[in-house]
Amino acid sequence: MQRREFLKILPVGACVLTGTGCTTDSKAVQADDWERAALIESSVLATVFPDRDFPVEDFGAQADAQTDCTSAINNAIVHCHAVGGGRVVLASGVYRSGAIHLLSNVNLHVAAGSKIHFFTDPQKYLPAVLTRWEGMEIMGYSPLIYAYKQDNIAITGAGILDGGADDKTWWPWKGKHSEQHWDLIPGEDQKPARDKLQEDVLRGVPVAERQYAEGSFLRPAFVQPYACTRVLIEGVSIVRSPFWLVNPVLCESVTVRGITCTSHGPNNDGCDPESCNLVLIEDCLFDTGDDCIALKSGRNEDGRRINVPIQNVLIRNCTMRDGHGGLVIGSEISGGARNIFMEDCAMNSPHLERAFRFKTNARRGGVIEHVRVRNVKIGQVQEALVVNFFYEEGDKGEFLPQVNDLVIENVECKQAERVFHLRGFKNNPIGAITVRNSTFEQVSGDDVIEYAPWLTLENVRR
């Protein structure tokens, strides 16, 4: 049987899940942190497709920026899948589409010079599908590009995925907000449904009964492979997203490479892997209205019910511009996070609020542990390192979060309003954080450090 090196955890004494079970791997036991990161990279299974193309024009698509190509694109995917796989190709021009559903062994190839311009009519994203929304499972609008329980799928090419969202479409459903630049439309506000959904989750309402599509105003994610294996998203540019841009959920072996995320709407996170194992994110550019990369594992009771962490993640050679945070873990983190590595990245923007951000509370709970960051160059940022147990509900809950074993080294920061903003609970302080061999220049404000007794600084200059 072919060995499948799915690394479930990688502490000392780690086990590697193979085709025959969990066995101790001597390399993992002896490896230092960054050798473990390399082991994560080598364990991400690659996508492989037959060398044959299926132009969507052969199925009735017209790249004239007017024709509804939804059926043509999906029919091409169905045919490609049925004959064993290959590339479904959008070669040139503008293709209008509603929801696209990927199937196993299909590479949706959006070539340079082509664009998929998605409709903003919510009816184009029905019927409802199983999806996660802010870490809670619902039957909701289909993500613009969606896959469920598929294997060996990809979105590639140098083309553009345009969600069509703006201040008059999709984004107004956010409702009132301190950052509001979108219109408000009477009767179209996510808050009532969001509040009801949180109550449904608390009460344990079955997912099949959580009907939150039409009339609920919960915006769909842009790209969401759900419970898939061997996922590749490479090369494309993603703009004007309704909600989170790239949101793999419960997936194994995910590669996100060389994409550009430029979208400044509400909750426009760039890449949010959620409860995934073995994730490689590299050579990407993020310029977003919310977090650039946010690692998640489910919210509150749903996160604990499903109980799958985000783990074994390697992020490298990425650039972060605008955003609420560069590397973020949380806030939907009830399933935990572990074995997270980031290296050789650059961040710089007066609108980048935080470089490294860990956000949770006593309703989320969750254990965040073994995070390693090195070789990050920061131009301008508001705060360098934030660990906040008081996000949203704060200490009003029974599930005390744990953040422990963070090591950040070789960081060069040219300008920051504050270096540390650390807020633990008196009865539950933040665990071990080590910052070493780092420089923070032009710091204009004082640090905030509350109940973080195990913060260690080694060769840190400011």
Side-chain angles (χ1 to χ4, degrees), residues 6 8-9 13-25:
F6 284 166
K8 294 301 180 186
I9 50 176
C15 67
V16 176
L17 188 67
T18 69
T20 57
C22 189
T23 60
T24 301
D25 187 291

Side-chain angles (χ1 to χ4, degrees), residues 391-430:
Y391 186 79
E392 291 190 342
E393 294 94 340
D395 59 358
K396 298 177 177 62
E398 300 178 354
F399 302 93
L400 297 178
Q402 298 179 47
V403 174
N404 189 47
D405 191 19
L406 316 184
V407 178
I408 299 173
E409 56 188 337
N410 298 331
V411 172
E412 298 179 11
C413 178
K414 296 298 183 182
Q415 182 177 345
E417 295 178 14
R418 180 182 289 118
V419 177
F420 299 112
H421 193 158
L422 312 178
R423 297 188 67 206
F425 297 149
K426 183 177 181 179
N427 65 332
N428 184 61
I430 297 167

Side-chain angles (χ1 to χ4, degrees), residues 58-320:
D58 291 353
F59 297 83
Q62 297 183 49
D64 57 9
Q66 296 181 2
T67 301
D68 185 344
C69 300
T70 309
S71 294
I73 295 171
N74 282 299
N75 287 341
I77 290 170
V78 169
H79 177 78
C80 178
H81 166 74
V83 299
R87 294 197 315 176
V88 169
V89 177
L90 293 83
S92 181
V94 178
Y95 302 82
R96 300 304 307 273
S97 185
I100 295 173
H101 288 190
L102 288 176
L103 298 173
S104 295
N105 303 315
V106 175
N107 175 0
L108 181 67
H109 185 75
V110 187
S114 68
K115 175 194 288 190
I116 305 178
H117 186 180
F118 287 87
F119 292 107
T120 57
D121 178 4
Q123 296 294 315
K124 299 286 189 181
Y125 304 94
L126 295 174
V129 300
L130 173 63
T131 181
R132 267 196 196 181
W133 194 88
E134 288 193 348
M136 299 172 283
E137 288 192 323
I138 64 171
M139 301 302 297
Y141 286 119
S142 171
L144 279 57
I145 302 178
Y146 178 72
Y148 180 65
K149 290 189 175 179
Q150 303 299 309
D151 173 60
N152 193 41
I153 58 174
I155 305 166
T156 65
I160 298 171
L161 306 177
D162 183 348
D166 58 27
D167 288 342
K168 298 184 181 299
T169 60
W170 291 125
W171 296 347
W173 290 4
K174 174 69 174 181
K176 294 181 180 179
H177 192 270
S178 60
E179 298 179 356
Q180 181 187 328
H181 51 74
W182 49 89
D183 295 350
L184 295 179
I185 302 174
E188 298 188 3
D189 187 332
Q190 71 181 23
K191 188 178 187 308
R194 185 177 187 266
D195 291 345
K196 182 179 182 298
L197 173 57
Q198 292 185 66
E199 183 63 25
D200 284 352
V201 170
L202 179 63
R203 293 190 296 111
V205 172
V207 175
E209 297 177 18
R210 301 179 194 172
Q211 297 292 328
Y212 283 91
E214 195 167 13
S216 294
F217 307 107
L218 301 185
R219 292 161 288 148
F222 203 135
V223 179
Q224 188 184 78
Y226 200 108
C228 296
T229 54
R230 291 193 293 167
V231 177
L232 172 66
I233 304 169
E234 183 174 39
V236 294
S237 295
I238 304 176
V239 301
R240 301 200 301 169
S241 179
F243 194 64
W244 296 350
L245 276 68
V246 177
N247 177 214
V249 177
L250 292 165
C251 293
E252 292 261 14
S253 287
V254 177
T255 300
V256 181
R257 177 183 295 123
I259 69 170
T260 299
C261 294
T262 308
S263 191
H264 284 81
N267 307 107
N268 276 195
D269 295 23
C271 185
D272 288 11
E274 206 172 348
S275 298
C276 293
N277 180 46
L278 292 171
V279 180
L280 173 63
I281 305 170
E282 63 180 354
D283 303 322
C284 298
L285 170 64
F286 300 97
D287 191 346
T288 60
D290 209 310
D291 296 325
C292 295
I293 295 175
L295 308 180
K296 301 176 180 291
S297 58
R299 183 184 185 114
N300 300 352
E301 288 73 23
D302 258 22
R304 288 183 282 274
R305 172 178 62 85
I306 298 168
N307 194 30
V308 176
I310 174 71
Q311 60 185 346
N312 302 318
V313 179
L314 174 59
I315 301 162
R316 64 186 181 191
N317 299 322
C318 290
T319 299
M320 288 79 169

